[in-house]
Amino acid sequence: MTYEVPVAPGESAELEETADLATEVWPMWEVFVRARRGISHVHIGSLHAADAEAALQNARDVYTRRGEGASLWVVRSSEINAFEPDDISDYVDANEKPYRLATTYEIPDEVGHM
Amino acid sequence: MTLEERFDVILAAEDKIEPADWMPDDYRKTLIRQIAQHAHSEIIGMQPEGNWISRAPTLHRKAILMAKVQDEAGHGLYLYSAAETLGVDRDQMQTLLHQGKHKYSSIFNYPTLSWADMGTIGWLVDGAAITNQVMLTRCSYGPYARAMVRICKEESFHQRQGYESLIRLCSGSPEQKAMAQDALNRWWWPSLMMFGPHDTDSTHTEQSMEWKIKRVSNDDLRQQFVDMTVPQADYLGLVVPDRDLRWNEERGHYDFGEIDWEEFWAVVKGNGPMNRDRIEHKVRAWDEGAWVREAALAHAAKKEGAIT
Ligand SMILES: [Fe+2]
Ligand SMILES: [Fe+2]
């Protein structure tokens, strides 16, 4: 509960989600961090910034205040093309192709570890 | 399998719901409400401590306080980012906060009157936040749970620096110790209020538990917090301002007194000591920053023009 505010008697639990904005807003960027050498960049969150340079600066301040990152990427959120769970039915179930799995092949014990 | 069945299967398997998944509309709304309020709390929560940055007693304490307040800004931003995955817009949430249509935790509607309040807030307020947020790392919504993992790591610094600062005060002059006691007297009950109404009066708890957004009830979290905190107060040599507080051997927990619920609801409804100030300050800071936001956009447009 801590940071959640209870609904006071007589108040509505419905929370408004949209408001009219007076001005243009900064676009959104997705942030990817390489935590250390030897591993890939991992998506860590998003932020808003006017351009890529500012987005990188903000990403450094927001997501790597304790040396969590050796490298940062920022990508405009609108540039991300995603494959969503609902599209999965368009694809053949991988389980129908067990011959792709190493464990489906029987190798005699005498051969040793393979 | 229907979409709703798949949602239920994911929950039952203790798996995470991710942004692109189908989810019941009320699940989405409950999360938006909770994450937005959480984000607003982190942002407004910078004010009570920001109040003491320029008056910190040493450069060391000042640097610590600045780092902590900056962390809280970061927490707000992680959380706005998590809320945005549910289809709400950050600037809109903020506008709604400014209009008084979104709320934030009542704890930040109390004033910070002395330096001892800084240590006490770190110890109690961040301590209460940890109790709650550790539970939320197991929340069923992926982006919220992940934000909590990051936040919890940083909260540990917040609580420890606060408690350590109180150890110093409590082993200082009698005046310093009295200042610490005064801060505890003022912050103890509002800290217990942070956990919300009794389970019996908490309308949303049941549904939130079913959805695995909330994993532990308000009263259980509050009990956990009291059990953890009372021995820490003892170590400091401070007295918890509750005559009904005593160890209950049978239950294996501390018994404690009743919260002043009238005060609780008054602050929730906007009538705490600092409600109006906090929003006024927030709106002023936002308005005064308007030229920076506009200039950054103009600069970006100009650069873009120069490239193409
Ligand atoms: Fe925080
Ligand atoms: Fe904190």
Side-chain angles (χ1 to χ4, degrees):
Chain A
M1 195 56 118
T2 317
Y3 282 149
E4 206 198 333
V5 186
V7 182
E11 282 183 337
S12 161
E14 281 285 314
L15 194 74
E16 286 187 46
E17 291 176 18
T18 52
D20 290 333
L21 298 181
T23 48
E24 195 192 343
V25 300
W26 287 351
M28 185 152 90
W29 302 75
E30 300 301 322
V31 182
F32 300 81
V33 176
R34 183 204 293 286
R36 55 173 196 278
R37 290 175 185 281
I39 60 171
S40 305
H41 286 77
V42 173
H43 181 248
I44 193 164
S46 65
L47 50 77
H48 289 254
D51 56 25
E53 195 188 337
L56 278 171
Q57 278 172 10
N58 292 354
R60 195 192 55 198
D61 288 345
V62 176
Y63 291 108
T64 65
R65 282 192 303 285
R66 289 179 175 77
E68 296 96 330
S71 163
L72 276 173
W73 289 346
V74 291
V75 184
R76 277 285 281 263
S77 304
S78 58
E79 296 294 316
I80 301 235
N81 293 289
F83 175 77
E84 304 299 2
D86 291 348
D87 305 330
I88 280 175
S89 55
D90 297 345
Y91 282 71
V92 177
D93 186 351
N95 294 330
E96 287 172 15
K97 297 180 178 176
Y99 51 84
R100 291 184 180 223
L101 302 174
T103 49
T104 57
Y105 299 90
E106 293 237 356
I107 305 292
D109 286 348
E110 303 92 281
V111 180
H113 178 74
M114 183 180 280
Chain B
M1 205 191 303
T2 66
L3 290 170
E4 186 151 17
E5 280 163 1
R6 196 167 85 190
F7 175 84
D8 291 338
V9 166
I10 294 171
L11 280 193
E14 290 289 327
D15 236 336
K16 300 291 179 202
I17 304 295
E18 294 294 343
D21 289 328
W22 181 89
M23 58 189 86
D25 205 39
D26 282 341
Y27 176 84
R28 195 185 71 90
K29 281 188 176 157
T30 301
L31 275 169
I32 289 176
R33 180 191 166 82
Q34 188 170 333
I35 301 174
Q37 288 181 342
H38 196 158
H40 297 327
S41 303
E42 302 283 357
I43 298 296
I44 297 291
M46 291 193 281
Q47 290 185 38
E49 288 171 296
N51 178 34
W52 279 90
I53 290 177
S54 64
R55 291 176 288 163
T58 66
L59 188 57
H60 179 57
R61 291 289 166 195
K62 186 173 185 165
I64 293 170
L65 197 52
M66 280 198 290
K68 180 178 189 288
V69 172
Q70 193 191 11
D71 276 354
E72 304 301 3
H75 296 177
L77 297 182
Y78 309 155
L79 286 159
Y80 283 130
S81 167
E84 282 186 306
T85 64
L86 292 158
V88 283
D89 186 272
R90 189 176 309 212
D91 281 66
Q92 288 180 332
M93 284 185 270
Q94 191 157 217
T95 303
L96 289 161
L97 171 68
H98 294 172
Q99 294 171 346
K101 291 174 182 163
H102 278 196
K103 289 183 174 173
Y104 53 88
S105 174
S106 287
I107 191 74
F108 304 116
N109 288 320
Y110 289 86
T112 42
L113 303 178
S114 80
W115 169 252
D117 288 20
M118 297 304 97
T120 309
I121 286 178
W123 171 39
L124 296 180
V125 176
D126 291 86
I130 291 172
T131 309
N132 179 58
Q133 291 175 146
V134 164
M135 164 193 79
L136 287 171
T137 60
R138 296 189 294 124
C139 159
S140 62
Y141 188 59
Y144 194 24
R146 292 192 284 276
M148 284 306 120
V149 173
R150 291 183 58 78
I151 286 177
C152 283
K153 278 187 205 154
E154 299 177 348
E155 293 294 3
S156 173
F157 148 57
H158 298 177
Q159 194 188 20
R160 291 172 65 112
Q161 66 80 31
Y163 191 70
E164 191 238 31
S165 142
L166 286 177
I167 293 178
R168 294 293 183 85
L169 276 183
C170 290
S171 54
S173 66
E175 288 83 0
Q176 284 174 314
K177 183 148 188 195
M179 189 162 78
Q181 180 64 57
D182 170 65
L184 176 59
N185 293 347
R186 284 180 291 107
W187 289 97
W188 176 256
W189 289 105
S191 298
L192 294 196
M193 291 179 199
M194 285 177 75
F195 295 95
H198 281 310
D199 297 342
T200 44
D201 305 323
S202 180
T203 35
H204 299 290
T205 296
E206 214 173 306
Q207 179 63 81
S208 280
M209 298 268 249
E210 229 164 82
W211 279 330
K212 301 186 178 176
I213 292 173
K214 191 175 172 59
R215 316 299 303 248
V216 185
S217 78
N218 294 354
D219 285 328
D220 287 351
L221 284 173
R222 187 164 20 234
Q223 181 74 60
Q224 245 179 50
F225 175 76
V226 171
D227 290 348
M228 177 183 82
T229 310
V230 172
Q232 294 166 349
D234 292 345
Y235 180 86
L236 293 172
L238 297 179
V239 181
V240 173
D242 178 357
R243 278 198 206 116
D244 298 323
L245 183 80
R246 63 183 59 84
W247 177 251
N248 184 326
E249 192 66 56
E250 210 171 300
R251 290 202 309 129
H253 293 290
Y254 283 95
D255 290 338
F256 54 98
E258 196 55 53
I259 284 170
D260 178 353
W261 295 108
E262 221 164 283
E263 175 183 329
F264 174 85
W265 289 114
V267 184
V268 167
K269 286 181 179 160
N271 300 320
M274 299 299 281
N275 296 56
R276 212 164 306 153
D277 276 59
R278 297 296 186 227
I279 290 298
E280 264 172 30
H281 181 93
K282 176 72 179 69
V283 173
R284 197 183 326 123
W286 179 252
D287 290 346
E288 285 174 3
W291 71 272
V292 178
R293 295 191 298 277
E294 285 159 25
L297 277 173
H299 177 67
K302 190 173 144 193
K303 264 199 326 193
E304 191 122 316
I307 293 165
T308 47

